[in-house]
Every structure is written in C-alpha cells, then in structure tokens.
Amino acid sequence: MASNGDGKGRVAAAAGGGYGYGYGGYEGPEERKWWPWLVPTVIVACIAVFVVEMYENNCPKHGSQLGDCVAGFLRRFSFQPLRENPLLGPSSSTLEKMGALDWNKIVHQHQGWRLISCIWLHAGLIHLVVNMLSLLFIGIRLEQQFGFVRIGAIYLLSGFGGSVLSALFLRNNYISVGASGALFGLLGSMLSELLMNWTIYSNKAAAIITLLFIIALNLAIGILPHADNFAHIGGFATGFLLGFVLLARPQFGWMERHELPQTSQPPKYKAYQYVLWVVALVLLLVGFVISLVMLFKGKNGNDGCHWCHYLNCVPTSKWKCNT
C-alpha cells in the first residue's frame, strides 16, 4: 500500500491454494524435492521486523491527535488509533524512520537502501498477516520445486523491481512499505515457468486460466485507494522475466539420457527455451538500467505516461485517489 504509511497492498491468500506445479500436470520424471527453509525464515524475519516497528513506535509515549492507542494493554506495543492506521500498526513517521520507500529521501538524500528495506516493513498487523499467508501458500511450493537460491533471487529482485517502479510514479508525499511486490514476482514467475516449460505439462489450459484469474484479481484489488499497484506491477514484471531466466526445466527424456544410445541423446533444453531465456534476460537488464537511471535523475514516470496513474487507483463516486 501507499499513502501516508499504508502498506504496498495484498495478494489474495488463496493465490497459492489452487495452483501448484502438480496442478499443471507436470509429465517429466520425478525431480529432487527441496526442503523449504528460506520462505519460513523470511516469514519469521518479517514478523520480527514488525515487532521492532511497534517497539520503536511506542504509541503511549508519543500519543496521537486522532485518538487513543488501540489495544492499550500491550503498552509499548499498542497500535496507533484506527483513524490514523486502520491496519493496526505504527505511525507513518515510524515507518519512514525505519526505511519506508520515500522518493525524496532516495533521490535527494541518496538513501537507495530504502528500495530494499521497505520490502521487510509492513503497515500493520492485518497487512502482515495477509502477506505472510500469501507467501506461505505461494512460496513453499515454489521453493520445494526449485530450491532456495532461485526462489530467493526472484523474491528479492521482484521486491526491488516493485520498489523502483513505485518510486518512479508515486513520488512526493507518499511512503510505501510491504512485501507485495515480491509476492507478485512469485506469481509472475509461476506464469512464465508454465509458459517456458509448456511442452512438459498436461492440463495447460486449466492451469493458465486459473493462474491468470488469480493475477488479474489481485491486480484489480490494487486499483483501490491506498494500495500501491505500481509495486505490484513492477514486482510482477520482474518475476515474470526472472521465471524465464531461472525456472527452465529440462525437456522430457533428457533425465533418462543415460538409458539412450549415444547417437540419440536429446538436448537439455528446446530451442524456444533458449530464445525466451535470452530475450527475458535482455529485457530485464535494460528495464532495470533505464528505470534506475530515470529514478536517480529525479524523473517523474507520469510525465511520459499521463494515463498511468489509473493503473494505481481509479477514482469513483465512492472514493478519491489523492488521499
């Protein structure tokens, strides 16, 4: 989420519940299953960071003009008034102090580390629970299939990509926190993995329709006020490209090559997989270079795209987008 300390948004917790790599009907040989330790570690780290947020916030000491602290029995760990933070969390000033995404501080005060630190912060208890449940459902399956190195790289780089795009378009008067960009990156990598390894899956249509529905639903949620859809889109695009680069599977038959005559040895990957790998890697590198140059030169992404603000929030009679 964005705007005065709200988080980067949320990925529906059901996102990982219906689609898995068994859902697509993987027809290849049995592969090594990795023991998932990275995703649980990330979840524990995010919870620990939130505890530190609330300790630093200390609502009873600093108070609020918008009412009494919520859950006062928690003392130092009590939440800001609901009128200030309906997600049950700290104040905007606390989030900013701890590393929230802030365009002015990144560009003019050279605090580029905020592009990474904001991924580990959450705007409130509700925001934290929704994101961590989503990570649990999505991330565990991916880590079991592809291991902690590849999934960890996708998670961190997608979060970074979401932060860069968010900073380019949200700019002044907004701060943003949350792991949603990284989570959308995992969703994007699931889609590209399915496309990259298309020939070794059965039930392709059902798998891709289900996944596209989940992605579209979550992006639609992002056009509501206070959700940072630019982080969602940036994270998704980064994860989508990284999926082509990191999640290719050997073609059917390669794993049994030792059982075949030497003259019948199949190549590890198909030609189209190599093409997608190269194209995705080039697009990823070019996209990061251009975006980072624009960001640190202080460019406003909205100047070159006058309609892009509608990707982040669509005003209606029920809500405004400038709050």
Side-chain angles (χ1 to χ4, degrees):
M1 291 185 189
S3 176
N4 298 326
D6 290 341
K8 279 187 181 173
R10 54 272 178 189
V11 176
Y19 177 83
Y21 288 92
Y23 186 95
Y26 174 59
E27 295 180 328
E30 193 68 27
E31 291 186 336
R32 172 183 177 181
K33 294 288 185 181
W34 298 79
W35 179 260
W37 63 267
L38 179 65
V39 168
T41 301
V42 170
I43 292 173
V44 171
C46 287
I47 293 172
V49 170
F50 183 72
V51 171
V52 175
E53 285 178 39
M54 299 312 304
Y55 180 85
E56 286 291 326
N57 187 64
N58 197 357
C59 182
K61 178 180 178 180
H62 299 115
S64 173
Q65 297 179 347
L66 297 177
D68 297 328
C69 301
V70 176
F73 63 90
L74 295 175
R75 299 180 181 275
R76 184 178 187 124
F77 295 93
S78 57
F79 309 113
Q80 294 298 116
L82 293 179
R83 290 177 59 193
E84 181 178 351
N85 187 343
L87 296 177
L88 299 177
S91 64
S92 298
S93 59
T94 297
L95 292 171
E96 188 174 354
K97 175 183 176 182
M98 292 195 62
L101 188 70
D102 184 318
W103 177 85
N104 184 62
K105 285 183 167 55
I106 291 172
V107 175
H108 296 300
Q109 299 182 29
H110 309 292
Q111 297 181 8
W113 52 270
R114 290 179 179 269
L115 294 168
I116 293 294
S117 63
C118 65
I119 302 170
W120 303 93
L121 300 172
H122 286 82
L125 184 62
I126 297 173
H127 186 208
L128 176 71
V129 169
V130 171
N131 272 358
M132 293 305 99
L133 284 176
S134 300
L135 177 59
L136 184 66
F137 284 120
I138 300 170
I140 289 291
R141 291 186 179 188
L142 283 170
E143 189 178 351
Q144 285 176 332
Q145 291 288 327
F146 297 103
F148 70 92
V149 174
R150 287 183 282 182
I151 298 310
I154 291 172
Y155 183 85
L156 289 175
L157 288 173
S158 296
F160 179 75
S163 297
V164 171
L165 193 67
S166 177
L168 271 174
F169 283 92
L170 290 185
R171 291 174 65 90
N172 298 328
N173 302 320
Y174 289 92
I175 65 172
S176 184
V177 296
S180 296
L183 291 171
F184 268 85
L186 294 181
L187 283 176
S189 71
M190 290 171 71
L191 178 60
S192 55
E193 191 276 332
L194 178 61
L195 297 174
M196 184 71 158
N197 305 310
W198 187 257
T199 58
I200 59 176
Y201 280 107
S202 61
N203 302 324
K204 302 178 181 73
I208 200 166
I209 289 172
T210 301
L211 188 53
L212 286 173
F213 174 77
I214 292 168
I215 293 167
L217 175 64
N218 282 282
L219 288 175
I221 292 173
I223 65 174
L224 297 173
H226 305 298
D228 183 358
N229 218 25
F230 287 121
H232 300 169
I233 295 169
F236 176 82
T238 303
F240 182 70
L241 293 175
L242 282 170
F244 289 117
V245 176
L246 297 177
L247 303 185
R249 291 180 186 268
Q251 65 169 308
F252 183 74
W254 185 81
M255 299 292 286
E256 292 85 10
R257 65 194 184 282
H258 59 280
E259 301 175 1
L260 300 173
Q262 190 66 31
T263 56
S264 303
Q265 295 289 314
K268 186 174 183 179
Y269 300 110
K270 291 184 176 293
Y272 80 90
Q273 290 178 299
Y274 286 108
V275 172
L276 288 173
W277 187 91
V278 172
V279 171
L281 182 61
V282 170
L283 289 175
L284 186 68
L285 293 175
V286 171
F288 268 128
V289 170
I290 292 176
S291 299
L292 288 170
V293 169
M294 288 180 62
L295 175 61
F296 286 104
K297 282 189 173 181
K299 301 293 184 181
N300 187 342
N302 294 290
D303 291 341
C305 181
H306 300 293
W307 55 268
C308 281
H309 62 278
Y310 291 116
L311 295 174
N312 189 58
C313 181
V314 177
T316 70
S317 59
K318 301 292 185 182
W319 64 70
K320 298 179 180 180
C321 291
N322 59 352
T323 57

